[in-house]
Amino acid sequence: MKPQSLDHHVRYHPVFHFFGAPLALITIIGSIVNLCSAIKNNDQIWLAVFILVTSFLLVVSFFLTRIYSNKVQDRVIRMEENFRHFTLTGKPLNPHLTMGQIIALRFSSDEEFVALSERAVNEGLSSKEIKQTIKNWRADEYRV
């Protein structure tokens, strides 16, 4: 695996991104086509509606599991970075840092972390700007 950097840090989960998400989209499209066909033929419309509703429920469940797992990872990252800041400075992270800023700050080395977190608050740096500012990239191999 290539070392992480600004240009190479976005990660994809192949089963989710390249298998599950396309199948979810195909399922919705197929159920809509099935409903249109049922309406055109005036045949088993209720079954087609049931299939469409069930497809939407499955797709919503599929994406919510991804969203919820990302939220948990965000909370863990915030806790880790708050602990890292406390370890380095004896103070917790500035509460004005957004979750996006904290997530971006996790890539900074300990040497630049404190100054960069202060700069992020004072200058309102976006997560992209924070990542572009980092000189010594600290890889995060665990986030999916």
Side-chain angles (χ1 to χ4, degrees):
M1 187 159 60
K2 291 182 196 175
Q4 281 188 2
S5 65
L6 176 63
D7 298 326
H8 182 72
H9 73 283
V10 175
R11 296 182 60 191
Y12 294 102
H13 190 273
V15 174
F16 180 85
H17 289 99
F18 306 120
F19 181 72
L23 278 180
L25 181 62
I26 290 168
T27 301
I28 293 294
I29 292 169
S31 61
I32 291 170
V33 168
N34 182 48
L35 177 61
C36 292
S37 175
I39 290 170
K40 180 181 175 187
N41 297 329
N42 201 20
D43 184 41
Q44 298 184 352
I45 295 172
W46 288 109
L47 180 59
V49 169
F50 177 75
I51 291 171
L52 179 63
V53 169
T54 303
S55 297
F56 272 114
L57 288 173
L58 289 172
V59 169
V60 166
S61 298
F62 177 76
F63 283 103
L64 282 179
T65 56
R66 176 71 177 168
I67 291 167
Y68 292 160
S69 65
N70 279 349
K71 290 287 186 188
V72 170
Q73 289 180 46
D74 290 350
R75 292 182 69 169
V76 170
I77 289 168
R78 182 177 58 212
M79 189 171 54
E80 288 174 340
E81 297 312 305
N82 196 31
F83 180 69
R84 179 161 74 131
H85 191 273
F86 187 82
T87 302
L88 294 170
T89 66
K91 297 183 281 187
L93 273 174
N94 188 318
H96 293 101
L97 282 168
T98 66
M99 196 64 231
Q101 289 173 318
I102 294 170
I103 290 169
L105 284 166
R106 81 183 189 277
F107 293 114
S108 64
S109 65
D110 287 347
E111 292 77 26
E112 52 192 337
F113 176 69
V114 176
L116 191 53
S117 62
E118 290 172 10
R119 217 177 127 204
V121 171
N122 295 335
E123 298 176 23
L125 298 177
S126 69
S127 61
K128 184 177 180 180
E129 292 169 328
I130 291 170
K131 291 175 191 176
Q132 290 171 336
T133 305
I134 296 172
K135 292 176 183 71
N136 298 316
W137 196 269
R138 180 176 161 249
D140 181 0
E141 304 293 345
Y142 297 107
R143 178 136 181 170
V144 180

